[in-house]
Structure formats: structure tokens, C-alpha cells
């Protein structure tokens, strides 16, 4: 009975279940009622709303509307993704079959302005690397200082076998 009740609730369907015991005693379960289901069974052309509970039908309509809305949103996202992919493919094709990167262009093919810009970009890059290196060294150094204060023994500066 529990499974049949759950099925009718989850699916929003009309159910009539009749079972007979070995001694011939009938047991039944119906949703929304025995009369409504038998009336619907005897007259299959009868509109659904006349026999189904109004809350179940309302829930079904709201759920269907929500699912259609979710589907449309996902479909729109898929279309947008396809458009982006198409634009990306066109951009790749316009570049040619081989991907060209600024660092792969031979220096002798650059004009003086491009060489100056390249030099400026490399200088900025080297400066960023130097700053990152200095911060890392300072961080490691401060960690070692803190360890030396907390630890009673001295850590050897070199690990591994000693070389003569």
C-alpha cells in the first residue's frame, strides 16, 4: 500500500489497486477515490481534471512549467556556448593552421618599434621575477630565523653524503 501511495503521489496519477486474500477477502487502495477511478475507467474520454485531485494537478503543471523553463535556459546556454566555439574556431582558422605566439616570432623580423616594445616587456618581466624571487628568499629566511629561535639544535646546512 505504501509503494502504491508513493507512486500515485509522485506521478500524480490515478490508481485503483484491488487484491484478494487466499480466503477471497478483497483489499483495495484508490487515489483519488474508488468512484473517481472507476468512473474514469468506464469513460476514458472524460477530461482528467474531473477525477484528479486539484492540488496534484496544480503541482504537475507548476513542475512542468519549471522544467520547461530550466530546459530553455540550458538550451540558451548551449547555443551561446556553440556560438563562442564557432567564433573561436573561426579565429583559429584566420590565424592559419599553426599557432603563432609573440615569443616565437624571430627577432630579425621585427621592426625597431616592435623591438623596443619587446625589450620593455622583457624588462618588466625580469623585474617581476626579481621581486618574486626576493619575496620568496625573504620568506624562507624569516622561516629559518623563526625555526632557529624555537629549535634547540642546529640543522646542518647540507644534506646527503659528505664529499672529500
Amino acid at each position: 500500500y505504501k509503494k502504491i501511495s508513493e507512486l500515485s503521489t509522485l506521478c500524480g496519477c490515478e490508481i485503483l489497486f484491488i487484491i484478494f486474500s487466499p480466503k477471497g477477502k478483497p483489499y483495495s487502495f484508490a487515489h483519488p477515490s474508488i468512484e473517481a477511478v472507476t468512473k474514469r475507467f468506464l469513460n476514458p474520454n472524460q477530461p482528467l481534471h474531473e477525477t484528479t485531485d486539484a492540488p496534484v494537478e496544480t503541482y504537475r503543471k507548476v513542475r512542468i512549467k519549471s522544467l520547461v523553463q530550466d530546459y530553455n535556459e540550458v538550451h540558451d546556454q548551449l547555443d551561446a556556448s556553440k556560438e563562442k566555439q564557432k567564433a573561436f574556431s573561426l579565429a583559429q582558422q584566420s590565424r592559419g593552421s599553426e599557432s603563432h605566439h609573440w615569443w616565437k616570432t624571430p627577432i630579425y623580423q621585427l621592426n625597431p618599434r616592435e623591438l623596443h616594445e619587446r625589450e620593455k616587456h622583457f624588462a618588466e618581466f625580469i623585474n617581476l621575477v626579481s621581486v618574486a624571487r626576493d619575496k620568496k628568499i625573504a620568506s624562507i629566511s624569516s622561516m629559518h630565523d623563526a625555526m632557529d629561535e624555537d629549535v634547540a639544535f642546529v640543522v646542518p646546512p647540507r644534506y646527503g653524503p659528505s664529499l672529500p
Side-chain angles (χ1 to χ4, degrees):
Y1 286 111
K2 182 178 178 184
K3 293 294 180 187
I4 294 169
S5 173
E6 290 173 354
L7 180 66
S8 70
T9 302
L10 290 173
C11 298
C13 61
E14 298 174 348
I15 284 188
L16 176 59
F17 175 76
I18 302 172
I19 189 168
F20 293 91
S21 71
K23 294 192 177 193
K25 187 172 181 184
Y27 294 92
S28 65
F29 174 86
H31 179 77
S33 68
I34 292 175
E35 295 81 20
V37 176
T38 54
K39 184 178 176 184
R40 173 93 169 135
F41 182 75
L42 294 172
N43 187 6
N45 296 330
Q46 179 182 9
L48 186 62
H49 62 79
E50 290 182 19
T51 61
T52 306
D53 285 338
V56 172
E57 186 63 25
T58 303
Y59 172 77
R60 270 182 37 166
K61 287 180 181 178
V62 168
R63 184 70 179 141
I64 289 172
K65 184 178 179 181
S66 172
L67 290 172
V68 167
Q69 185 178 9
D70 290 347
Y71 170 80
N72 288 335
E73 288 175 7
V74 169
H75 195 281
D76 291 343
Q77 290 173 356
L78 180 63
D79 287 344
S81 176
K82 285 181 180 178
E83 287 297 321
K84 286 181 183 177
Q85 182 65 29
K86 187 187 290 185
F88 182 74
S89 295
L90 288 174
Q92 288 273 348
Q93 290 173 357
S94 68
R95 287 178 146 179
S97 61
E98 181 180 323
S99 178
H100 295 289
H101 300 287
W102 63 269
W103 59 85
K104 289 187 177 180
T105 305
I107 292 176
Y108 62 85
Q109 291 181 355
L110 300 175
N111 63 36
R113 184 184 55 78
E114 291 171 331
L115 283 170
H116 180 69
E117 288 177 10
R118 182 81 44 93
E119 180 184 20
K120 190 169 85 173
H121 288 297
F122 277 122
E124 290 173 5
F125 177 71
I126 290 171
N127 185 33
L128 287 173
V129 169
S130 297
V131 168
R133 181 197 63 218
D134 293 344
K135 284 182 181 179
K136 184 68 81 172
I137 290 171
S139 170
I140 292 171
S141 175
S142 66
M143 284 177 27
H144 283 295
D145 291 343
M147 285 179 62
D148 288 343
E149 291 172 5
D150 295 340
V151 179
F153 64 94
V154 177
V155 177
R158 189 163 140 203
Y159 298 100
S162 299
L163 297 176

